[in-house]
Amino acid sequence: TAYAPFASRMSESGILVAVANLEPFRVISSLHDYNLKKEVMRILSDSILLSNQGVWTVDEWSIGGHSIGGHVAIVAVANELSSTIKKVVLWGVLSYPLPAVYPYRQTLREIKDVDALVVNGSNDEIIKSTVFGKDKIQQFEDKMPPRGCPGKSRGHTHPQ
């Protein structure tokens, strides 16, 4: 429900949108023993009607998530989906996944041709809290694709 306004606007612009509710699958709590790529792609394929005898009609895939869901999106691209997904959209995320909790093979900065958009609200009390000190924010920045102009180079932004 929370994503419906954004998904509707993107859909009206001709962008195919699938919002996958991963909560029933407890993806977040079981990443260590979970075949994330297989399950995410199964959910996406179940959500999208295929045409042309089962050939994807999507030219470009993106994945996103809110809060811990953003960590799941980062790990999915870093570990499994970097050849398919080139754009990551993160809402309410200002820390990089902890390797002990969400193991990843490489950072998004290390992956070629991955763009990231980070959207955080200026009234988000969790992000404004001391949990996200300057050192944590710097660690996050160091692992994300370098900032740049959209369409010209990789990058991300933190609108306030």
Side-chain angles (χ1 to χ4, degrees):
T1 303
Y3 297 104
F6 299 108
S8 294
R9 281 190 230 141
M10 291 189 302
S11 182
E12 289 168 2
S13 299
I15 299 170
L16 178 63
V17 178
V19 178
N21 178 4
L22 300 179
E23 177 59 24
F25 301 101
R26 300 285 179 202
V27 170
I28 293 168
S29 64
S30 60
L31 274 179
H32 294 291
D33 303 318
Y34 205 79
N35 187 338
L36 188 59
K37 177 181 179 181
K38 180 179 176 184
E39 191 61 27
V40 169
M41 293 310 287
R42 188 193 64 73
I43 291 167
L44 289 173
S45 67
D46 287 351
S47 302
I48 299 168
L49 296 175
L50 299 176
S51 62
N52 300 326
Q53 286 98 25
V55 176
W56 290 106
T57 59
V58 176
D59 294 327
E60 183 176 283
W61 285 102
S62 301
I63 191 170
H66 171 256
S67 190
I68 293 175
H71 286 184
V72 172
I74 289 170
V75 172
V77 173
N79 286 352
E80 305 290 341
L81 302 173
S82 63
S83 64
T84 305
I85 296 176
K86 297 298 183 187
K87 292 186 169 68
V88 180
V89 182
L90 306 171
W91 292 275
V93 177
L94 200 55
S95 67
Y96 211 80
L98 295 172
V101 179
Y102 305 99
Y104 50 87
R105 295 182 189 137
Q106 56 190 336
T107 66
L108 293 184
R109 183 174 290 260
E110 295 170 310
I111 302 170
K112 280 188 116 177
D113 302 322
V114 171
D115 290 321
L117 173 65
V118 179
V119 181
N120 291 316
S122 58
N123 291 327
D124 186 325
E125 294 300 322
I126 295 173
I127 288 177
K128 288 178 8 182
S129 75
T130 57
V131 173
F132 299 101
K134 289 185 180 181
D135 59 327
K136 292 257 186 196
I137 294 170
Q138 188 60 53
Q139 290 172 9
F140 176 73
E141 293 275 339
D142 291 345
K143 294 178 180 179
M144 295 298 290
R147 292 180 186 241
C149 299
K152 292 185 179 179
S153 64
R154 299 180 299 150
H156 63 282
T157 183
H158 299 282
Q160 295 292 322

